[in-house]
Amino acid sequence: MNKVIDSSTEFLISSRSSGPISYPGTEVLSTTADSGEFSLIQRFLTGRGAARDDVELDIGDDCAVTQIPAGFSLAFSIDTLVSGVHFFADADPQSLGHKSLAVSLSDLAAVGAKPAWATLALTLPSPDSCWLECFSLGLHELARQFGVRLVGGDLTRGPLTISIQAMGLVKSRRALRRSGAEPGDLIVVSGQLGDAALALQRLLLARQQGKQSSARVEAIEPELRERLEWPTPRVELGLGLVDLATAAIDISDGLLADLGHLLEQSGRGGELEINAIPLSPASEAVVRKTQDWSLPLSGGDDYELCFTVPQANLKPVLALGMALNIPLAVIGHITKQNGIRLRYPNGEILTGASPLTGQLGYDHFRQNSSDD
Ligand code: ADP
Ligand code: MG
């Protein structure tokens, strides 16, 4: 994820009411009242995900214990969403529950793993039952859709922060990786790029409009907001690509940045046809008008897959996309020469050294970035 929504957000953290000695700012939620830590876990987080008979110890024990079938390896990935950095402090909790899990499932998709379990480290400013109920609803709807059981976690008081570790199973030694792309391989992306970044741009603009802001937020196309707030992890696609792709990555920080990682780890370069980058009608209208490709190329939060396939595998890959009803677009090919070259329709070619690709995507720790 790549967003700094508001780095100046301040949090009002009420002091803890009871319980053991704790350090200021790291308090546990009260452990005695009805709204206490264990009661909250019991009421809102326990037993709501997919039922799985490979879970030996579930929420309520010191560790979760799960079984791994012979021939499979464990794939796991953790992502953190911080209020004011990755989402607005007043964001809809149901969509937050969905998105927090979706971004971790997207990582599993990128390695071709089948999701199975998750843990949740949740830091809340206060024990808000309504917020938790909606958050849990969004999280567990998606969890059940992909057969995921929430098997444990942690609950603390502090600035709203959500960390989800998703775990899945991948055929042993068959996980997709970022390295492995070979010269001549085709570069393919799923879905359409830049919509989430466009939605965020419009939301930020709308929020600056003072009194008219809610009307302006309402006016943003729902399809765009859905791409930002309810991303769909491409799990089935990743599973199908295990036998077909030479390398894969999920696009969370922008196409150029993430493809750049894949190329670097493969020790190769890539040439992209700008015109082949798949756009929604809304994004296409913006690009046509402004001739500015920066959102589809460098905007974040797409959660699509970018992968490479030998020419010979293109047919089965396209058939997989059709079978799953996921649009796939061939946007370029792998080259021996390192770096990314962007081929524009007018014949112009931008290379990795250009100002455009110098700003590849969002990097939380890059010097001079706004939340350093
Ligand atoms: P411990 O103190 O042994 O680490 P906790 O008291 O933090 O355990 O948690 C009690 C049980 O509730 C554990 O099984 C833990 O995994 C689970 N749990 C705590 N917080 C969460 C959460 N946010 N989501 C899911 N399970 C949780
Ligand atoms: Mg313990």
Side-chain angles (χ1 to χ4, degrees):
M1 276 156 300
N2 70 340
K3 297 299 163 358
V4 174
I5 288 170
D6 173 13
S7 53
S8 66
T9 307
E10 284 185 16
F11 300 94
L12 292 172
I13 305 165
S14 57
S15 61
R16 62 179 259 284
S17 50
S18 65
I21 296 168
S22 69
Y23 300 95
T26 60
E27 297 105 311
V28 293
L29 297 169
S30 152
T31 55
T32 48
D34 217 25
S35 63
E37 183 185 352
F38 301 114
S39 151
L40 293 174
I41 295 164
Q42 186 62 37
R43 282 165 64 202
F44 298 113
L45 297 166
T46 303
R48 300 179 81 172
R52 296 187 63 98
D53 52 19
D54 53 11
V55 176
E56 291 182 10
L57 294 182
D58 208 339
I59 289 181
D61 263 284
D62 285 309
C63 285
V65 175
T66 64
Q67 294 164 356
I68 311 226
F72 286 84
S73 296
L74 180 65
F76 45 105
S77 174
I78 187 162
D79 270 299
T80 297
L81 274 69
V82 180
S83 175
V85 177
H86 300 100
F87 58 88
F88 296 107
D90 59 357
D92 163 24
Q94 194 176 344
S95 81
L96 269 182
H98 172 101
K99 184 165 178 174
S100 325
L101 180 60
V103 301
S104 289
L105 296 187
S106 176
D107 284 323
L108 293 185
V111 302
K114 194 172 168 59
W117 317 286
T119 54
L120 161 70
L122 188 57
T123 305
L124 293 176
S126 62
D128 180 338
S129 298
C130 289
W131 190 95
L132 262 169
E133 175 55 33
C134 292
F135 174 83
S136 182
L137 188 66
L139 190 159
H140 282 107
E141 265 171 8
L142 187 70
R144 284 191 299 274
Q145 189 184 332
F146 287 106
V148 172
R149 178 86 178 176
L150 183 70
V151 290
D154 196 21
L155 195 58
T156 47
R157 187 194 287 268
L160 179 57
T161 305
I162 306 153
S163 290
I164 294 195
Q165 178 162 49
M167 287 154 281
L169 297 168
V170 62
K171 286 187 218 163
S172 288
R173 293 186 186 78
R174 301 301 303 278
L176 292 168
R177 52 189 72 199
R178 295 176 178 186
S179 58
E182 293 292 345
D185 283 357
L186 301 170
I187 302 171
V188 185
V189 292
S190 63
Q192 291 154 339
L193 304 184
D195 288 351
L198 182 58
L200 179 64
Q201 193 182 65
R202 293 193 172 162
L203 277 174
L204 286 167
L205 211 68
R207 282 171 173 254
Q208 287 165 7
Q209 307 294 317
K211 273 188 185 160
Q212 298 154 358
S213 87
S214 58
R216 286 186 182 251
V217 168
E218 293 295 313
I220 299 171
E221 296 92 318
E223 312 87 75
L224 284 185
R225 284 193 64 177
E226 197 163 313
R227 297 280 292 141
L228 176 68
E229 293 162 6
W230 298 86
T232 307
R234 298 301 196 183
V235 168
E236 297 89 350
L237 179 61
L239 286 171
L241 288 176
V242 164
D243 296 318
L244 297 169
T246 47
I249 191 166
D250 73 316
I251 307 176
S252 52
D253 295 334
L255 172 67
L256 292 186
D258 289 314
L259 175 61
H261 298 314
L262 183 154
L263 295 174
E264 203 171 302
Q265 299 218 16
S266 294
R268 305 295 183 191
E271 193 167 301
L272 300 184
E273 297 288 339
I274 287 281
N275 252 0
I277 291 171
L279 303 177
S280 68
S283 283
E284 187 163 4
V286 172
V287 168
R288 274 228 182 109
K289 196 165 149 205
T290 60
Q291 288 303 304
D292 179 357
W293 282 84
S294 53
L295 291 183
L297 288 175
S298 303
D301 274 355
D302 290 313
Y303 300 106
E304 295 295 347
L305 294 186
C306 174
F307 54 94
T308 55
V309 289
Q311 300 260 1
N313 285 355
L314 183 60
K315 235 177 144 181
V317 163
L318 295 180
L320 175 68
M322 294 277 279
L324 296 174
N325 204 16
I326 298 173
L328 297 179
V330 177
I331 60 167
H333 64 276
I334 299 293
T335 57
K336 259 190 198 149
Q337 197 189 342
N338 286 357
I340 300 183
R341 276 164 296 283
L342 302 173
R343 201 181 274 279
Y344 281 77
N346 63 3
E348 191 187 351
I349 296 182
L350 287 183
T351 67
S354 72
L356 175 61
T357 48
Q359 275 288 102
L360 285 180
Y362 190 76
D363 177 342
H364 284 267
F365 292 103
R366 183 158 48 209
Q367 290 261 303
N368 304 324
S369 79
S370 51
D371 75 335
D372 277 353

